[in-house]
Amino acid sequence: MDVIRLLGVRDTSLSVEEVLAAVGDHAAGGTTLFVGTVREQDHGKPVTRLSYSAHPTAEAELRRVAEKVAADFPVTALAAVHRVGDLELGDIAVIVAVAAPHRGEAFAASRRLIDDLKAEVPIWKHQVFADGSAEWVGACE
């Protein structure tokens, strides 16, 4: 069975329950879950609007990142989903989960998965601040 259980770039709400269920595995002694949400401030400035957009290759790049994590760590299951479109404060923007035989492996693989996703998958965040300024933040910088 493929250890990559769920991957996606979606324009609909993300579900913690779906992602956690996807990595359920009786061989795992540890499961980690990371949930990234839209916060009300960035760089000390209030955020009023936020939107994510993705390059058409984003899902393929997400798979490449997941495959590398699966090859580098003894994981039994992993999942990653990222949201695109307009999001509100508190909305879930990204979820990653990893199951592994031991907690240390699960933590290390999960950390690599979210860090590489953010660094390498072509998904960009456009945020508008209360003062009218805006910025683009994204992968592959």
Side-chain angles (χ1 to χ4, degrees), residues 5 14 17-18 28-29 35 43 47 49 58 67 70 78-79 83 88 90-91 98-99 103-104 122 129-130 133 136-137:
R5 305 280 177 83
L14 305 181
E17 293 78 14
E18 176 192 23
V35 179
H43 310 297
V47 174
R49 291 193 322 269
E67 287 171 349
L78 65 79
R83 177 100 182 261
E88 302 293 328
D91 282 351
V98 174
R103 71 178 176 273
F129 299 100
S133 64
W136 283 94
V137 181

Side-chain angles (χ1 to χ4, degrees), residues 93-140:
V94 62
I95 306 171
V96 301
V98 174
H102 304 284
R103 71 178 176 273
E105 298 158 342
F107 277 116
S110 181
R111 178 65 183 248
R112 169 81 75 75
L113 182 57
I114 188 61
D115 287 350
D116 288 359
L117 183 162
K118 288 298 196 180
E120 299 176 26
V121 178
I123 297 173
W124 301 277
K125 174 174 64 173
H126 182 239
Q127 52 189 6
V128 178
F129 299 100
D131 66 5
S133 64
E135 73 174 349
W136 283 94
V137 181
C140 311

